[in-house]
Amino acid sequence: MAMLLRRIDPTQWKPVGIDALEANALDVVRSTDNRSVIAGPGSGKTELLAQRACYLLQCGISPAPQRILAISYKRDAASNISARVRARTHPDLAYRFDSLTFDAFAKGLLDRFGQALPKEWRPKPNYEIANATFTIVQAALQALTPPKSVGTKADVIGITVKTFERDHLVAAPLALVPPTTPTIEQWAANEFWKSWLHNGSHSALTFPMIGRLAELLIRTNPMVREALRLTYSHLFMDEFQDTTQVQFDLAKTIFAGSQTIVTAVGDNKQQIMRWAMAMDDPFAPFEADFSAKRTPLHNNYRSSPDLVRIQEIFAKALDGTAEKPISKSKGTIVGNSCEVWDFPSADVEAANLAAFVADEMKAYDLKPRDFAILVRMKAAEYLKKLEPAFVENGLSIRNEAAQVGKVALQELFTEPVSDVLTAILRLAASDGAGRYWTVCFETICHFWGLTFDDDDRRAKAANSLQAFADGLITKFPKPPTDEATAKRIVEDVVSFVGQSNLLALSPAYRQGNWYRHVCEAATFHLEASSKNAADWTGALDSYEGLHAVPLMTVHKSKGLEYHTVLFVGLDDGAWFNFGKQSHEETAGFFVAFTRAEQRVVFTYCALRGSRAGVAPLYDLLKQAGVQTVAKK
């Protein structure tokens, strides 16, 4: 086993777990300078970073005790890249790969070193995570009365509430010395900070506020900054197009001008988070401030050649300099790869879509989760119309955007608590069937920090796991029919794995009440999934949605892929903001389109709204040769 840790000669290293990488991707994997990687949909952006981590760790280019830091915008992206690295390299190397969200990274810094902040910016240790909602900000502003030298109460009330946090509260790095003649907005922001930091028994902070405090912490404590630079030989920033100014400034303050080598990967054509403070173009300042070399990726490993041809039309509309993508997939379907279907009513639409999915499943031997139904928003409302028709065709739909307690269903499936729960229950219900044993055992070893070389502890872990699984199925021979039983099952699994191990594994679990919310969501969902299940296999299939067509919003679909995408509602009603922010809405359309491997169907129903406002999207589809088909 020790031979697995032998360093590989960099010239002899080959991609792990895949056949090959395109030339530019391999160049980035081996790079020794800062890189800005612009990569389109299906190009393997996350895979590139996972391969780069393998290369750096296996070849000793990031030597112990140094680590690699990967920062992503969303939890699922952070979990994804971490799982890929664990699957592709030795555990004794993979443990030096830290994959976090920007929010988790910033909060970790504040929690560890926050008391080193200047007194006026120092939060109370028991601070809480808060949201600066419209109502809260409005009330806070209305309560302020400025000094005459600054302005009037009417001036404060005149501040735009909706964008107050973005434009004023966290717009710029925090100043150690406030301006002598502040604007009314600067004064109001400072008063807001003072109130949320120091009033009451605890501080209240939003994640952007935490990011600003973390940046100030690093800026005013050179020793902390130097420690981070020495710790991390390399920094990866995934989904970089969604980076906010707060996040960019934090990364810049820590790593710009250091020996840490930075790789930022993203697609400026898939930028759909400007509403959540994403920068207009983070790549340009990154390349300037980090002296980064821009490297494009060309290959698309997801979509068929015809879909890639259509995607190029939209890519050029979003970015005139976009590189021409090259499809590395094959077309496997009969008929057009993309059409717009025009329906006289929502009922006819639902019936046609349900029949289509049923027919395609038979024709191409597909499963429900090979399809995705995407909507712009209000997934629950579309579900009400679509579900009866799908049930009539022997199919089910699941709203992946639905909330389970305080956790989105789709988000639950990226959580370690849910992963270990389903793995152990699958093992217990399968009488030790091989594939469930392997997955479950490796999951447990990962949670317990056991390496391949630790034979004695792994043997004990195997015995413990089997004994626990046997005892669990004896104690709970049938799926839970009430919340109390479901809660006991979750608690038993958590107790076996070790709550401290879970908390140590996931930084997000050390943030406020997130861990409790995830455990509650797992409990609620397990109970709901078990109600109509005949046995544990049926309950777990329902829990994971294996036999349901997923329904989700465009934003929730980002990073996923499906054989066939059915986009319901290409009309002004769903895309009511298109006229005000056509670029971002076109990017959302592009994201939806590029989830598909083989086929995309867009639907339109005049009863939901006209299509005059989204005419530019229809024009681009027509330019690409996409046909509109009237359905009855």
Side-chain angles (χ1 to χ4, degrees):
M1 287 297 182
M3 291 181 64
L4 290 173
L5 285 177
R6 183 180 61 188
R7 287 187 178 181
I8 299 174
D9 185 329
T11 62
Q12 301 299 312
W13 182 88
K14 294 181 180 180
V16 184
I18 59 174
D19 293 335
L21 291 167
E22 68 169 277
N24 276 10
L26 189 58
D27 177 50
V28 172
V29 164
R30 299 178 182 275
S31 62
T32 58
D33 54 354
N34 295 338
R35 292 295 181 98
S36 168
V37 183
I38 308 294
S43 57
K45 296 182 285 294
T46 303
E47 184 62 42
L48 179 151
L49 292 178
Q51 294 295 333
R52 179 154 170 73
C54 291
Y55 171 76
L56 296 171
L57 293 169
Q58 293 172 341
C59 298
I61 297 170
S62 177
Q66 287 188 305
R67 308 177 73 87
I68 298 170
L69 174 62
I71 308 181
S72 303
Y73 187 86
K74 297 193 301 182
R75 286 192 186 94
D76 55 355
S79 298
N80 187 358
I81 187 172
S82 179
R84 293 192 190 208
V85 172
R86 292 199 308 271
R88 286 159 175 73
T89 192
H90 195 287
D92 286 357
L93 298 175
Y95 89 95
R96 291 194 287 114
F97 182 79
D98 298 332
S99 184
L100 307 169
T101 63
F102 260 111
D103 287 343
F105 178 62
K107 188 176 187 301
L109 292 175
L110 187 63
D111 291 348
R112 291 169 62 193
F113 307 112
Q115 295 309 299
L117 279 165
K119 186 176 181 180
E120 62 271 24
W121 292 110
R122 189 183 308 153
K124 297 172 183 177
N126 62 336
Y127 71 87
E128 292 186 359
I129 305 298
N131 290 312
T133 63
F134 183 94
T135 302
I136 290 174
V137 173
Q138 185 180 51
L141 292 177
Q142 288 177 346
L144 296 177
T145 301
K148 292 181 179 179
S149 59
V150 174
T152 66
K153 193 170 185 67
D155 293 330
V156 176
I157 295 175
I159 297 173
T160 303
V161 174
K162 187 177 180 180
T163 59
F164 176 74
E165 183 179 21
R166 182 193 69 194
D167 294 345
H168 306 298
L169 194 66
V170 297
L174 301 175
L176 288 173
V177 180
T180 53
T181 55
T183 64
I184 191 67
E185 292 85 2
Q186 289 172 331
W187 177 86
N190 192 54
E191 291 299 306
F192 193 101
W193 271 104
K194 287 194 294 186
S195 174
W196 278 38
L197 279 171
H198 305 302
N199 289 356
S201 61
H202 59 265
S203 303
L205 301 170
T206 67
F207 277 114
M209 292 170 74
I210 289 172
R212 281 299 180 208
L213 290 172
E215 190 278 335
L216 178 63
L217 167 70
I218 300 300
R219 186 163 23 105
T220 55
N221 290 273
M223 290 182 65
V224 176
R225 178 174 62 183
E226 189 60 26
L228 289 168
R229 291 178 169 187
L230 290 173
T231 298
Y232 293 112
S233 64
H234 293 77
L235 168 66
F236 301 166
M237 290 189 283
D238 197 11
E239 298 292 344
F240 190 64
Q241 76 279 350
D242 293 330
T243 300
T244 69
Q245 190 68 56
V246 174
Q247 295 164 347
F248 180 83
D249 289 344
L250 176 59
K252 177 181 174 181
T253 296
I254 299 173
F255 295 111
S258 73
Q259 296 299 308
T260 301
I261 298 173
V262 186
T263 307
V265 178
D267 183 4
N268 50 6
K269 301 179 295 301
Q270 295 188 63
Q271 189 183 61
I272 58 174
M273 302 301 291
R274 290 187 185 179
W275 62 274
M277 300 191 193
M279 299 168 67
D280 288 343
D281 176 19
F283 293 98
F286 170 72
E287 290 163 4
D289 294 336
F290 288 80
S291 301
K293 175 184 176 182
R294 177 171 292 204
T295 307
L297 300 187
H298 302 97
N299 290 351
N300 183 319
Y301 297 97
R302 176 185 303 150
S303 301
S304 68
D306 196 45
L307 284 181
V308 168
R309 176 189 62 78
I310 301 170
Q311 291 170 17
E312 185 182 5
I313 302 294
F314 287 89
K316 288 291 186 182
L318 289 163
D319 178 7
T321 65
E323 299 279 338
K324 182 180 179 63
I326 302 170
S327 173
K328 292 296 181 178
S329 184
K330 294 182 179 180
T332 61
I333 61 169
V334 176
N336 294 328
S337 62
C338 181
E339 289 182 339
V340 177
W341 290 355
D342 198 332
F343 293 103
S345 72
D347 290 333
V348 175
E349 176 184 64
N352 271 265
L353 291 176
F356 172 75
V357 171
D359 291 344
E360 292 287 287
M361 286 176 61
K362 294 176 183 177
Y364 297 104
D365 192 24
L366 300 175
K367 298 177 181 178
R369 295 197 74 83
D370 290 323
F371 299 81
I373 301 173
L374 304 186
V375 296
R376 179 66 182 83
M377 56 181 56
K378 298 181 179 179
E381 293 186 11
Y382 286 92
L383 179 67
K384 291 177 184 177
K385 278 290 183 184
L386 293 168
E387 191 169 36
F390 274 72
V391 170
E392 192 173 323
N393 280 267
L395 301 168
S396 62
I397 305 179
R398 185 165 77 171
N399 180 7
E400 306 273 302
Q403 288 290 124
V404 182
K406 294 188 177 182
V407 181
L409 184 59
Q410 189 174 349
E411 200 169 28
L412 177 62
F413 300 129
T414 67
E415 293 296 333
V417 167
S418 184
D419 284 346
V420 73
L421 175 67
T422 53
I424 288 179
L425 287 175
R426 287 283 190 191
L427 174 64
S430 66
D431 297 324
R435 68 189 182 98
Y436 292 128
W437 170 261
T438 301
V439 171
C440 194
F441 181 59
E442 292 306 326
T443 299
I444 291 299
C445 287
H446 173 62
F447 277 112
W448 290 354
L450 305 182
T451 69
F452 283 128
D453 298 332
D454 202 343
D455 293 336
D456 289 341
R457 292 179 66 201
R458 285 174 70 89
K460 291 178 181 177
N463 292 333
S464 297
L465 174 60
Q466 190 62 64
F468 176 75
D470 292 343
L472 191 67
I473 203 66
T474 300
K475 186 176 179 181
F476 303 102
K478 293 185 178 181
T481 56
D482 58 83
E483 183 183 330
T485 304
K487 184 178 181 181
R488 287 200 301 274
I489 293 170
V490 173
E491 288 175 343
D492 282 2
V493 171
V494 168
S495 177
F496 172 69
V497 175
Q499 180 175 311
S500 60
N501 292 325
L502 285 165
L503 295 177
L505 182 72
S506 175
Y509 290 166
R510 301 191 292 275
Q511 298 176 9
N513 297 318
W514 183 247
Y515 171 76
R516 177 169 61 82
H517 293 329
V518 170
C519 288
E520 288 175 351
T523 298
F524 298 154
H525 189 51
L526 180 61
E527 179 199 2
S529 302
S530 302
K531 285 192 186 251
N532 298 315
D535 53 25
W536 269 111
T537 297
L540 293 171
D541 284 354
S542 178
Y543 185 98
E544 297 181 282
L546 297 187
H547 307 302
V549 177
L551 166 69
M552 68 191 76
T553 62
V554 172
H555 281 80
K556 291 295 184 182
S557 75
K558 200 162 182 292
L560 304 176
E561 55 188 50
Y562 302 92
H563 177 278
T564 297
V565 166
L566 307 173
F567 194 103
V568 180
L570 188 53
D571 54 62
D572 296 348
W575 297 76
F576 58 89
N577 268 336
F578 191 88
K580 296 178 182 178
Q581 47 189 47
S582 60
H583 188 277
E584 184 168 354
E585 294 293 284
T586 302
F589 182 93
F590 184 73
V591 166
F593 194 107
T594 55
R595 300 309 93 205
E597 299 169 354
Q598 294 294 328
R599 199 190 309 267
V600 182
V601 172
F602 296 100
T603 75
Y604 172 75
C605 175
L607 296 179
R608 279 197 298 258
S610 74
R611 48 188 162 201
V614 291
L617 295 179
Y618 280 94
D619 290 342
L620 289 170
L621 287 170
K622 185 176 181 181
Q623 181 183 337
V626 175
Q627 298 178 8
T628 297
V629 181
K631 294 283 187 176
K632 297 181 181 179

